[in-house]
Amino acid sequence: MSERIRKYLSHIGRRGGRKSRRTLDSETARNMVRLREAKRAYRRFHARCFWSYDPDYALTLDDVEWVAGQLMRNGGREAWDIGAKLCR
């Protein structure tokens, strides 16, 4: 391995080991989790609850309540539970 490559790998390895400097307040972190779970549910229950919508639709935080409502209205017991968690 050349010296130049060795230095580069050493440099990026050092950067990866440092603690992240990004700080999130608790509300933002909760919203990120809600959005991630809504996206997961949208993909999982697409055939049952969201069949008339684009499967590649990019959900936003504003769509989380809509996803929860669709799950609770059209998805059955398991989808209802997920929708209820998204409403909290």
Side-chain angles (χ1 to χ4, degrees):
M1 183 180 314
S2 74
E3 186 62 30
R4 200 172 92 204
I5 293 173
R6 189 181 312 251
K7 284 183 180 181
Y8 172 74
L9 292 175
S10 172
H11 175 71
I12 65 172
R14 197 172 325 125
R15 235 186 330 163
R18 293 183 188 153
K19 186 177 177 184
S20 174
R21 290 185 172 90
R22 182 175 65 170
T23 58
L24 295 175
D25 59 294
S26 58
E27 182 180 352
T28 303
R30 274 193 297 273
N31 286 337
M32 287 174 65
V33 170
R34 283 180 67 215
L35 181 59
R36 182 184 67 223
E37 294 302 318
K39 287 178 179 181
R40 184 176 292 154
Y42 183 83
R43 284 190 308 271
R44 181 174 175 193
F45 293 100
H46 187 269
R48 270 190 262 170
C49 305
F50 307 103
W51 56 269
S52 63
Y53 299 96
D54 181 14
D56 298 322
Y57 178 69
L59 293 173
T60 64
L61 192 55
D62 296 331
D63 297 323
V64 173
E65 290 181 28
W66 170 75
V67 169
Q70 292 288 76
L71 289 169
M72 295 168 79
R73 192 174 308 117
N74 303 318
R77 175 63 187 199
E78 186 180 5
W80 174 275
D81 291 339
I82 295 170
K85 286 180 185 177
L86 289 174
C87 289
R88 290 184 202 158

